[in-house]
Amino acid sequence: MKILNSASALAIAAMTFAGGTAFAAEKELVIFNWLGGSERDLIIALEEGFTAKYPDYEIKDINPAAGGDDPRSGIRSAMLSGEEFDLLLNTWPSFEKELVAADLISPIDAAWEQYGWSQALNDSWRNLAKHDGKTYGAYFIAGNRSGVWYRPDTLAKAGIAGEPTQWKDFLSSFSALKEIGMLPVSIGARSWAQTEWFENALLRTAGPAFAKELSEHKAAWTDDRVKETFRNLRDMLEADCCAEPGAMLSSHWTDAADAVLKNKKAGFMLIGSWANQRAKNEYGLTPIKDYSYMQFPVIKPEYGNAMSVDGKNFLVMKQAKNPEGAELFIDFVLSKEGSAIIAAQNLATPSANVDPSSYDPIVRKYAQILPLVDVFFVLDDLLPAELSGEFRISLQKFLRDPSDASIDSVTAALEAKASELYQ
C-alpha cells in the first residue's frame, strides 16, 4: 500500500524519538491524552483510579491544545518536537496502521497473554488492532454504529408491533408509516452520514471478513458483493423510504435526528450512539420510554451477528521508557475497577468485566451485546482520506441514481481510487 501523506512526518518522528532522553522517575507513566470535555475527564478518572491502586506510580497526562478538526495533526507535531510518552490514546485504525508502518508503536501480544486480556476482550475486538499478525492496541471504549433510532410512540401509532429486525419486515413497515403521514426513513446525506447505511448493509450482506478485505483492498470495490449491497439499499429506496435525493443531500445527521426523535416527522434514522446524548440533553427525552433503537435489520442470517462499532484504544509507544507500566495501565482499564469508572461516565466498554446494570438504559442495551457479537470498525474510518472522500461522494451519487448503470459507475470509480492508493 502507498504510504499516506503523513508518513514522511511520522518517519521523521521515529528518528526524533530514537534520540530522546530518559524520564527522571522510574515509575513515571506518561500518557498522551488529546481528548477534551467529558471524555478527557474519563481518562483523568482512570489515571486517578490507577494511581490509587498502584501508589508507586506517578502519571503525567499530556493534554495538548486542540489541533483543528483532526487531533492527529497535534499528535504528529508532538512527535516531531520530540515529546516523549508511553501511551497514546487512539481512535483511528488507519492512523494506527501508519504508526505501525513507521515503527512507532510496539505489539502487545506478550502482555495480552500475560494478563489474560482475552477474558476481557473477545477475538473480534483484538482483531481490530491486529496488523501483520501482531496486536498493537487494546480497545476500552466502544460505540454502536449499527443503531437504527426510533420513537416507540411513532411505531405504536403506525400499528407496527415491535422492532422490525429482519430486512424484509423493515421494508414492509414503510407503508404503515406513510399511512400516518410520516417519512419512513430520514437520511442526512450532506456530508458523511450516508456511509452509515452502506457500511451496515455491507456487514449484513457480505459479513465482516469481506468488509475487512475491502477496507484493505484485498477485495475489489467492483466485487459483486459490493454491488449486491448497493442493490439491497436500492430495494429500500424503491420501497419509498426517503425524501427526494436533493432533500437528503442538503440534510445533516442532526436534521435526521430532529425529524425522527424530536419532531416526529419520520420513523427511523441510522447513526452512532452519540444520538443518545442528543436525545437526552438537547431534546429532554427519556431513554427507552421516549426513544430507543434497534440493531440494523438482518439481511442474511449468517451475518446477523455483525455490528459496526467505533472505539478508542491505547497504544504503547516503541520508545516508551516505561512499557511495563503502560501495559499495567491497560490491564487496569480493562479490569472490573476500570470498567466501573467507564460505566459511571455512561460510556460503553467492550470489556467483559463491566457490570451492565451500571449503564443508562440505552447504553446498557447495546453494551450487553458487545462481548457477544462480531464487531467491525466503521468502514469510513479505516479508509485513506482520499478514498474516504470518494466513498462519500459515490454514495451521494447512488442516492441520486440507484440504477445498475450508476452502481457500475460508482463502484468502478471507487476501485480506480483504491488502486491508485494501494500500490
Side-chain angles (χ1 to χ4, degrees), residues 237-251:
L237 295 174
E238 290 180 345
D240 199 18
C241 66
C242 306
E244 54 89 17
M248 286 190 282
L249 269 59
S250 63
S251 301

Side-chain angles (χ1 to χ4, degrees), residues 179-422:
E179 285 178 8
I180 61 170
M182 283 201 173
L183 185 70
V185 176
S186 184
I187 298 178
R190 183 170 179 175
S191 180
W192 56 267
Q194 67 278 11
T195 64
E196 308 282 307
W197 286 94
F198 178 88
E199 290 162 354
N200 279 281
L202 179 70
L203 290 178
R204 298 300 206 195
T205 300
F210 176 75
K212 186 175 190 296
E213 291 178 0
L214 189 66
S215 72
E216 298 171 349
H217 201 225
K218 293 177 180 177
W221 285 86
T222 50
D223 189 290
D224 192 58
R225 285 166 288 188
V226 176
K227 294 183 180 182
E228 183 183 3
T229 300
F230 276 111
R231 291 193 293 268
N232 284 329
L233 289 177
R234 181 173 65 194
D235 289 342
M236 186 176 80
L237 295 174
E238 290 180 345
D240 199 18
C241 66
C242 306
E244 54 89 17
M248 286 190 282
L249 269 59
S250 63
S251 301
H252 290 290
W253 79 264
T254 50
D255 300 312
D258 288 351
V260 173
L261 302 179
K262 179 182 178 183
N263 301 325
K264 303 184 184 183
K265 299 293 185 183
F268 300 104
M269 64 165 290
L270 172 65
I271 208 67
S273 49
W274 57 84
N276 186 36
Q277 278 66 45
R278 184 174 181 84
K280 286 193 300 185
N281 301 335
E282 296 190 30
Y283 305 153
L285 301 180
T286 301
I288 303 299
K289 173 180 176 290
D290 295 328
Y291 69 98
S292 190
Y293 75 91
M294 63 185 190
Q295 290 300 96
F296 194 88
V298 175
I299 297 176
K300 291 184 178 180
E302 60 266 38
Y303 304 126
N305 203 35
M307 179 176 175
S308 178
V309 298
D310 55 18
K312 291 181 175 63
N313 65 7
F314 278 114
L315 308 175
V316 179
M317 302 307 296
K318 191 82 170 183
Q319 300 300 327
K321 304 305 179 187
N322 194 348
E324 294 83 7
E327 292 165 351
L328 185 63
F329 182 81
I330 292 173
D331 184 62
F332 173 79
V333 170
L334 296 177
S335 72
K336 184 177 294 185
E337 301 102 308
S339 297
I341 293 171
I342 295 170
Q345 300 280 338
N346 274 324
L347 292 168
T349 175
S351 174
N353 291 317
V354 72
D355 175 8
S357 67
S358 59
Y359 289 130
D360 89 353
I362 290 289
V363 177
R364 187 184 313 142
K365 187 176 176 181
Y366 74 83
Q368 286 175 323
I369 66 173
L370 280 173
L372 308 175
V373 296
D374 195 0
V375 298
F376 184 75
F377 211 93
V378 58
L379 178 63
D380 193 33
D381 286 351
L382 297 175
L383 303 178
E386 292 179 54
L387 183 55
S388 171
E390 186 70 38
F391 178 48
R392 297 175 183 189
I393 292 170
S394 293
L395 287 165
Q396 291 171 330
K397 291 177 178 177
F398 167 76
L399 291 176
R400 287 191 179 277
D401 176 10
S403 67
D404 284 338
S406 176
I407 291 173
D408 288 342
S409 175
V410 299
T411 54
L414 285 164
E415 177 59 22
K417 179 59 69 175
S419 297
E420 173 188 328
L421 295 171
Y422 294 80

Side-chain angles (χ1 to χ4, degrees), residues 3 6-7 9-18 79 95-107 131-132 134 136 315-320:
I3 301 300
S6 57
L10 291 176
I12 295 171
M15 291 186 286
T16 303
F17 272 26
M79 291 177 176
F95 185 52
E96 184 177 295
K97 192 171 184 178
E98 291 181 46
L99 295 171
V100 171
D103 198 29
L104 284 168
I105 56 177
S106 295
H131 305 275
D132 298 323
K134 297 179 181 178
Y136 286 88
L315 308 175
V316 179
M317 302 307 296
K318 191 82 170 183
Q319 300 300 327

Side-chain angles (χ1 to χ4, degrees), residues 48-107:
E48 291 174 347
F50 176 79
T51 53
K53 185 172 183 177
Y54 302 102
D56 52 336
Y57 276 89
E58 177 184 343
I59 292 183
K60 178 183 177 182
D61 189 76
I62 301 174
N63 190 252
D69 294 330
D70 191 342
R72 284 171 288 189
S73 60
I75 297 171
R76 293 186 184 102
S77 295
M79 291 177 176
L80 287 168
S81 69
E83 189 90 61
E84 294 182 327
F85 43 93
D86 299 295
L87 279 171
L88 172 64
L89 187 65
N90 180 59
T91 192
W92 312 273
S94 56
F95 185 52
E96 184 177 295
K97 192 171 184 178
E98 291 181 46
L99 295 171
V100 171
D103 198 29
L104 284 168
I105 56 177
S106 295

